[in-house]
Amino acid sequence: GRGGLEQQYDFELRGQDGGWQIEVDALGRQTKMLRYIPSVKGNSLYTTIDSKLQEAAYQALKKSATKKGAAIVIDPRNGAVKALVSVPGFNPDISAEKEFLKYLKDKELPLFNRAIQALYPPGSVFKVITFIGAVSDNIVNPKETYTCEGSFTLGNRTFACWLKTGHGKMSLIPAMANSCNVYFYNIGLKIGQKILESIAKEFKIGAKTGIDLPSEKKGLLPSSEWKLKKRNMPWLKGDTVNMAIGQGPLLVTPIQIASMIVAVANGGTLYKPYIVEKISDPDGNILYAHEQEIRGKIELSENTWKLLKNALETAVSNGTGRGCSFSNIKVAGKTGTSQNPQGEDHAWFASYAPADNPEIAVTVLVEHGGTGGHAAVPVARAIYEQYFGLSKGKTETKNISVSTSTVIN
């Protein structure tokens, strides 16, 4: 295997070649047939991937603004990956060297797994961390307001809000739902860099998730020590303002954000995401069965969880994520628009549903897609429509049978 599961589990899948053992003389002439060694089939992998969800995610990303990005669907009850898509993709059946070389030379990088390898600023999805920092230590009164006039001035620098005309007076829940940058600039300064960094570390931002795929990247969670070492500069208040809205040198992979929203959905458990459910030999004997692995536990007060989940539900029902609102299924989530020095902004949406008893968590990144509400939310909506058996554009629910495993052998 040269990539993906085939590379990760090559030893289990490979099997053993068979054939005749033949004795030859010094000139290479056959002198005797010694014995026949039968070939041995490789083992089979049974995955957690739901093929219908995988296809829905792939098609939705292909129809997105830039046709580039990643979508990840995880069961927040155990960490099972139900879909993991990177677009543009490639045809794994192509064996001709000429065709494969086309992929290698393609500037759109179809062989690059954006879901676990690409690094992006998280933008406003990081406000989940800032929100927790504000509430968990009673640093911010949820009813306290700040006035957004479209920008925020700190010293001789001006930091913009995405809504140039401003949001007006904002308290915590509406500010989260409408993703008001000015509000989060203010509370970010009150919280401080150390608390933001500490909470981000609890959610394993800047660390590999350990998913059973090769070449996962760990990202970057900057600190005052990092900045002094790498840039020979002290940490400034402007750095904290940027960090509070997920900007600056902060870099994450989509799988890290997926892991974060899974922990929010289930109330604080960071599962190690996994794709292989079990491995069996050619006779059907089970050689390996996945056991849940917990990477960490986020301990927050009941009030903090309640406020956060209320804010995420409001963001979808009456905020920047309302494009993913259904009448009979309540989705909770956070959009993000991350600034990109190399081009157009990246679009994020991290979410889960049903909000009161989550079954799936969906994270979408549309590369250079612009705003999360316009580019990433429609991709997530298509995934939820598939999972809950909804007709496109309708909101009626029905019971469906969901495939839970795919076999690779």
Side-chain angles (χ1 to χ4, degrees), residues 25-45:
D25 62 18
L27 297 176
R29 294 173 298 195
Q30 296 179 10
T31 59
K32 187 187 296 184
M33 302 288 285
L34 296 178
R35 60 172 175 160
Y36 175 75
I37 300 175
S39 60
V40 178
K41 288 183 179 179
N43 299 320
S44 294
L45 307 184

Side-chain angles (χ1 to χ4, degrees), residues 297-376:
K297 186 75 177 174
I298 316 298
E299 301 290 349
L300 300 175
S301 70
E302 186 178 338
N303 182 57
T304 299
W305 285 122
K306 182 179 178 181
L307 285 171
L308 176 60
K309 292 185 177 186
N310 181 15
L312 296 176
E313 289 175 32
T314 306
V316 175
S317 64
N318 196 33
T320 56
R322 56 185 171 273
C324 209
S325 178
F326 300 93
S327 63
N328 295 334
I329 298 167
K330 190 176 286 187
V331 179
K334 182 73 193 77
T335 58
T337 305
S338 64
Q339 294 175 4
N340 170 34
Q342 281 77 45
E344 293 295 322
D345 296 342
H346 303 306
W348 287 95
F349 186 51
S351 61
Y352 56 88
D356 55 350
N357 188 24
E359 296 177 24
I360 59 169
V362 178
T363 297
V364 176
L365 179 283
V366 179
E367 195 172 293
H368 308 303
T371 65
H374 285 97

Side-chain angles (χ1 to χ4, degrees), residues 71-384:
I72 303 167
V73 183
I74 298 179
D75 187 334
R77 298 165 294 189
N78 53 26
V81 177
K82 296 298 181 183
L84 189 145
V85 174
S86 176
V87 169
F90 63 95
N91 182 359
D93 291 331
I94 287 178
S95 56
E97 190 174 346
K98 261 188 183 179
E99 294 297 320
F100 190 74
L101 283 174
K102 286 182 183 178
Y103 288 133
L104 290 175
K105 294 176 181 178
D106 192 332
K107 292 181 180 179
E108 300 298 329
L109 305 177
L111 300 176
F112 184 54
N113 190 341
R114 287 166 166 82
I116 65 169
Q117 292 178 290
L119 299 174
Y120 308 93
S124 290
V125 290
F126 189 81
K127 287 174 182 173
V128 168
I129 303 296
T130 310
F131 187 105
I132 291 170
V135 176
S136 59
D137 290 330
N138 296 315
I139 294 172
V140 174
N141 183 335
K143 294 181 180 180
E144 183 181 359
T145 62
Y146 292 94
T147 301
C148 171
E149 296 179 347
S151 64
F152 173 80
T153 301
L154 179 67
N156 61 358
R157 286 195 62 188
T158 298
F159 298 83
C161 185
W162 69 268
L163 186 61
K164 294 179 181 179
T165 57
H167 289 95
K169 280 190 175 181
M170 286 272 113
S171 58
L172 184 63
I173 301 295
M176 185 72 159
N178 291 285
S179 205
C180 176
N181 286 347
V182 169
Y183 181 92
F184 279 86
Y185 292 147
N186 279 284
I187 67 170
L189 285 175
K190 289 187 74 171
I191 297 164
Q193 182 269 335
K194 289 297 183 186
I195 291 177
L196 290 175
E197 182 189 347
S198 174
I199 296 169
K201 277 184 177 177
E202 284 192 58
F203 278 93
K204 310 297 184 185
I205 299 296
K208 294 180 182 180
T209 65
I211 188 171
D212 49 343
L213 287 172
S215 306
E216 181 186 5
K217 296 294 185 291
K218 68 176 185 177
L220 172 63
L221 177 61
S223 64
S224 55
E225 294 79 13
W226 171 87
K227 191 182 178 191
L228 196 60
K229 181 180 179 180
K230 294 292 184 181
R231 300 186 176 179
N232 199 28
M233 293 174 64
W235 190 274
L236 304 174
K237 287 184 178 180
D239 297 316
T240 302
V241 164
N242 267 329
M243 190 175 187
I245 65 160
Q247 291 293 159
L250 179 65
L251 293 171
V252 298
T253 57
I255 191 66
Q256 284 177 4
I257 295 301
S259 181
M260 179 193 78
I261 204 65
V262 160
V264 172
N266 65 34
T269 302
L270 277 166
Y271 289 110
K272 179 180 177 180
Y274 70 99
I275 295 177
V276 172
E277 188 74 63
K278 63 180 180 179
I279 301 174
S280 68
D281 67 17
D283 295 323
N285 300 307
I286 303 301
L287 306 176
Y288 163 83
H290 175 80
E291 294 183 3
Q292 286 182 7
E293 189 172 334
I294 296 175
R295 301 168 59 225
K297 186 75 177 174
I298 316 298
E299 301 290 349
L300 300 175
S301 70
E302 186 178 338
N303 182 57
T304 299
W305 285 122
K306 182 179 178 181
L307 285 171
L308 176 60
K309 292 185 177 186
N310 181 15
L312 296 176
E313 289 175 32
T314 306
V316 175
S317 64
N318 196 33
T320 56
R322 56 185 171 273
C324 209
S325 178
F326 300 93
S327 63
N328 295 334
I329 298 167
K330 190 176 286 187
V331 179
K334 182 73 193 77
T335 58
T337 305
S338 64
Q339 294 175 4
N340 170 34
Q342 281 77 45
E344 293 295 322
D345 296 342
H346 303 306
W348 287 95
F349 186 51
S351 61
Y352 56 88
D356 55 350
N357 188 24
E359 296 177 24
I360 59 169
V362 178
T363 297
V364 176
L365 179 283
V366 179
E367 195 172 293
H368 308 303
T371 65
H374 285 97
V377 166
V379 177
R381 184 181 182 91
I383 294 170
Y384 285 122

